[in-house]
Amino acid sequence: MTMALLILGMGLCSFLPRYLPLVLLADREMPPVAKSLLGYTPPAVLAALVVPEMLMPGGHTMHLSLSNPYLIGGGATFVAGLCSKKFLLVTAIGIAAFYLSRWLLG
């Protein structure tokens, strides 16, 4: 019973902050500046999640060298993303670069 209440509570904590603004602000027009700035939110959150692990694998020390497969894979993904806008292709290139560099570097 305690676990079910915990799951229900966490579900509400996750759902309500997303749903309430939609209901309360549904009839208002958002300013163009706010719309523009909100477009940057997903890439900013993704970068905040990925870049620390890419630069500090394991989370302890900065590892900025070509022997870091996370850095090589991230760099390849970044360059592929600049050249192509196809998500699946960019993802495949990044994964392939990561595993290839990991295999070559031992």
Side-chain angles (χ1 to χ4, degrees):
M1 182 64 177
T2 307
M3 185 62 72
L5 288 175
L6 179 66
I7 293 171
L8 180 65
M10 293 306 296
L12 285 173
C13 288
S14 179
F15 175 73
L16 287 178
R18 291 178 175 93
Y19 183 71
L20 287 178
L22 289 174
V23 170
L24 298 175
L25 304 174
D27 57 342
R28 295 185 185 180
E29 183 65 29
M30 194 179 292
V33 174
K35 283 183 183 179
S36 174
L37 290 176
L38 284 173
Y40 294 107
T41 302
V45 169
L46 182 62
L49 291 172
V50 170
V51 171
E53 184 62 31
M54 194 172 73
L55 299 177
M56 295 185 303
H60 299 293
T61 59
M62 190 79 75
H63 189 202
L64 297 175
S65 71
L66 291 178
S67 65
N68 180 356
Y70 295 95
L71 193 59
I72 294 171
T77 303
F78 180 76
V79 171
L82 291 176
C83 297
S84 171
K85 301 300 180 204
K86 298 181 188 306
F87 178 76
L88 190 59
L89 175 66
V90 171
T91 304
I93 288 171
I95 291 171
F98 169 76
Y99 280 110
L100 183 64
S101 65
R102 198 166 133 183
W103 179 68
L104 290 174
L105 295 171

